[in-house]
Amino acid sequence: MMAGSSPAHGQSTYDLFGGARASALGYASTALTTASGVHGNPAAAARRSHRVVSFFAREAFGLSALRYGSVAGTWPAAWGSVSGGASTFGGDGYREVHYSLGYARGLSFGTSRHVHLGLTGRYYHTRIDGYGSTGAVGLHLGLLLPLLSSLDLGAHATNVNGPSLVEGEPLPQTLSVGLQYRAGDALRVLVDVFKDRAFPAALRGGLEVRPLSLIALRAGVTTAPTRFTGGIGLHLGWLQAHVAAEQHAELGWTPSASLDVHW
């Protein structure tokens, strides 16, 4: 059992959404229907028509102690989509490891409307040298709902069961609600409102433009804290590669990269 005060979660993995594409869009990925990664909206897996495995890595502010890596996969079937993944964060003295397993399914109502729902269970394991280790299981809920042919609504709630690694200090519970506007494949505009139970609400926005079918250009911004993001994606058939960079006004730059394999 880990003793002492719990680690600060401000630069932990609880607010990382598992892909350089989402990072480049200012983390405004709640309604992103083609999202991938272990920390994304659990309902996004229901929108997948092909299997996908995603790899993601980032190093916050050039510090090796803040390295993060993840691998995630989604397997769609007629009865729903199963997803799973693992991620790791930290260095020698402090380490977080997460294992996730999720299920998502689309449900129809009326003649043409569909809602996509998802549930993910995540096991959190944290180890601090000199203090020991501990673990907990959190439940995450997701929803995706098409409002119009070009407009989608998304919602994502994390740790709804109130898990805790240290008694009296629950893991961060967050709620994000977002919209995605799509103009074909050429343009996406995303806006999120993100609220951590312990902190003020934040606004997040992202823009994705595809001047060519193979290339996507992205930019984003967040408040609380203020961060500016940008990146590029390459779509090469069954392979998609994404790079992103995030600039924090006081802490500096954070690069990230991800690779998605579809089949």
Side-chain angles (χ1 to χ4, degrees), residues 26-250:
Y27 301 97
S29 60
T30 305
L32 187 61
T33 51
T34 55
S36 60
V38 70
H39 286 275
N41 187 335
R47 297 292 301 263
R48 288 285 179 185
S49 58
H50 298 87
R51 300 181 184 93
V52 58
V53 174
S54 302
F55 305 89
F56 176 50
R58 71 177 248 160
E59 183 174 282
F61 318 123
L63 300 175
S64 59
L66 300 181
R67 286 176 180 167
Y68 170 80
S70 70
V71 58
T74 299
W75 295 265
W79 41 265
S81 295
V82 175
S83 59
S87 62
T88 179
F89 171 81
D92 293 335
Y94 174 82
R95 175 72 61 181
E96 295 177 21
V97 179
H98 303 163
Y99 301 100
S100 299
L101 183 64
Y103 175 76
R105 184 179 176 87
L107 302 174
S108 62
F109 57 97
T111 57
S112 60
R113 301 295 296 275
H114 292 78
V115 61
H116 300 86
L117 303 174
L119 169 67
T120 293
R122 179 167 299 126
Y123 175 70
Y124 299 93
H125 183 269
T126 298
R127 175 186 57 81
I128 303 177
D129 284 356
Y131 291 92
S133 62
T134 187
V137 176
L139 299 178
H140 309 263
L141 303 176
L143 174 147
L144 284 172
L145 175 66
L147 301 177
L148 301 169
S149 61
S150 59
L151 186 66
D152 299 287
L153 169 71
H156 182 191
T158 69
N159 295 318
V160 296
N161 59 321
S164 177
L165 292 174
V166 177
E167 185 176 355
E169 297 188 31
L171 292 172
Q173 293 177 289
T174 68
L175 174 65
S176 58
V177 178
L179 292 172
Q180 174 187 235
Y181 170 75
R182 292 171 286 111
D185 292 330
L187 174 69
R188 293 177 190 261
V189 180
L190 298 113
V191 178
D192 276 15
V193 177
F194 178 89
K195 179 68 172 74
D196 186 308
R197 183 177 179 181
F199 296 97
L203 294 177
R204 301 173 171 184
L207 175 68
E208 180 177 271
V209 179
R210 295 184 67 173
L212 300 171
S213 61
L214 300 180
I215 298 175
L217 305 178
R218 304 176 181 119
V221 63
T222 78
T223 66
T226 300
R227 295 171 291 183
F228 298 94
T229 65
I232 187 171
L234 297 177
H235 298 250
L236 305 171
W238 55 272
L239 189 67
Q240 297 182 9
H242 312 275
V243 295
E246 171 190 322
Q247 197 273 335
H248 188 289
E250 297 177 354

